[in-house]
Amino acid sequence: MSVRQKLFATTVATAAALIATLAILPASAQTLRYANQGDLKSLDPYTLRETTTTAHHTHIYEGLVGRDRQLKIIPALAESWETPEPTRWRFHLRHNVKFHNGDPFTADDVIFSAERVRAKGSNFTSVIPPDAKFVKVDDYTVDVILTSPNPILITQWDGWLIMDKKWCEEHNAVAPTPASATTPSYASLNENGTGPFVIESHQPGVKTVFKPFAGWWRKPEHNLKEIIFTPIASDATRVAALLSGEVDVIEPVPIQDISRVDSTPTAQVLKGPELRTIFLGMDQVRDELLYSNIKGKNPFKDVKVREAFFKAVDIELIKTRVMRGLSTPSALMIAPQLFKLSGDFTRPKFDPDGAKKLLTEAGYPDGFEVTMDCPNDRYVNDAAICQAVVGMLARIGIKVTLLAQPKAQYFAKVLKPGGYQTSFFLLGWTPGTLDSHNVLYDIMGCRDDPKSSRGEANLGGYCNKKLDEFTDQVLQESDATKRDLLIKQAYEIGAKDFGYIPLHQQALAWGVSKKVKLSQRADNQVLLYWATKQEE
């Protein structure tokens, strides 16, 4: 085929795809413009396990399972499943599903994705047990063989999205793109999912345009002809864009602007409790901190120092001054809605004098210096929270140098692919399973076994083997009452160790044009495939 013939064929195919897309859209199909404080850096769905990024990816990719508007697990690329034995799950895959390039979806793609998501560089290694074996029964049936029972397996798969084996191999994208990558891979700049939208264009840091996928196996619930995503880091600029009608949806609305947006005739703020817990963590692994004036030892290995930091944080001041009342102080590393016995725990009281005493007992009567890593475009008032903590710690003699960065640079530095390069940090976490096991395994689990995915997001390396033992029991226990008691015992260990400093659950605040109807989920994923917009 000549170059001219190839060009003609491509033009015809593109035109045919456009006609097919237009045919599935209602007559009132609309353009929806969405702005977030953070960027969409990579289209590779295994690069970054972060809620906003995952929400973007689920417009173009799909998992074997998904969640509905109420966060209930529902079938997706797997239409059904059963457990013939406690250690074997069988998944029946959906027939006649196509990837965006026309490739058929089969069991080979599931098995490939199961290997890729556990490979070096992936930020999702803990979603599938390292020793789980995926066995192809036929083109549309896959068995998952486990070494021990796991009654919550499919809830762990929320956010694990399936990729096209053939496409990845053709484009040298078999290996996942790590968050620390300095040069983009093909999969980070291009996509080939099975989801409701395709990416028409992607300019990291500038704009990403989504178009409906004409060959989607489901009936669309939106009336959109395109989604234009633009990152707008400035709070004032983002709000102004919403109020002027330049954008239709923004996330988040700054707390100080909520009442102003609600008082306008053109937009409103969708509010609700979020399941994310914001917390502080400390490097408890290295013999010497990367960023401190203390040489030859690590102050955070001493529980008295960790307790001192905890008691120096005035959580009520953060709630009233920084969060303007729109946060729920937390005693645990999980939202109370997700753990029945959370009411049995209380936060240690704010006690700066007691904190000073603890530092003196630990051998630091004059305090010490340490650098704090913090994102400045990921969580509600994240940099402001960190600034407040810096001031609180100064009262007990701790001099903190704050390094607040956009999330792309922040995550590239502090996550596993970047070598956990942090001494003291702020992070937020919503358990993908909506279950405590995820927190106990990913955040609080020991990360000292290179063959295990445990502790994948444990940036500070907190470790207590007894907690890990309870975590393993939690995974296999199917009796809810017994399971809750095991979870409670694990959290009690973590609390006694002062392994982390939980701060609060932040509130959801999405700015939405009154022309748009949109479902708000408590996990803070802005999912526009449920959006409808009135005709302009």
Side-chain angles (χ1 to χ4, degrees), residues 292-303:
S292 175
N293 67 329
I294 301 297
K295 303 303 176 185
K297 61 179 177 177
N298 179 347
F300 290 132
K301 287 193 173 188
D302 190 329
V303 66

Side-chain angles (χ1 to χ4, degrees), residues 32-36 52 55-56 227-231 247-251 526 528:
L32 189 144
R33 296 171 177 85
Y34 165 49
N36 190 280
T52 304
H56 282 297
I227 299 167
I228 300 175
F229 166 66
T230 307
V247 299
D248 303 298
V249 178
I250 67 171
E251 193 280 320
V526 181
L528 300 173

Side-chain angles (χ1 to χ4, degrees), residues 495-535:
K496 187 177 179 181
D497 287 342
F498 292 93
Y500 287 94
I501 304 174
L503 297 178
H504 57 243
Q505 284 83 42
Q506 62 188 28
L508 295 173
W510 302 358
V512 180
S513 163
K514 289 185 178 178
K515 293 181 180 179
V516 173
K517 289 185 178 179
L518 181 61
S519 297
Q520 186 176 58
R521 287 203 328 197
D523 64 352
N524 202 30
Q525 288 198 29
V526 181
L527 300 173
L528 300 173
Y529 47 72
W530 287 323
T532 57
K533 183 181 175 183
Q534 293 175 15
E535 193 168 351

Side-chain angles (χ1 to χ4, degrees), residues 319-332:
K319 177 181 178 180
T320 56
R321 296 278 182 86
V322 182
M323 301 300 291
R324 302 196 182 198
L326 293 176
S327 64
T328 304
S330 181
L332 287 179

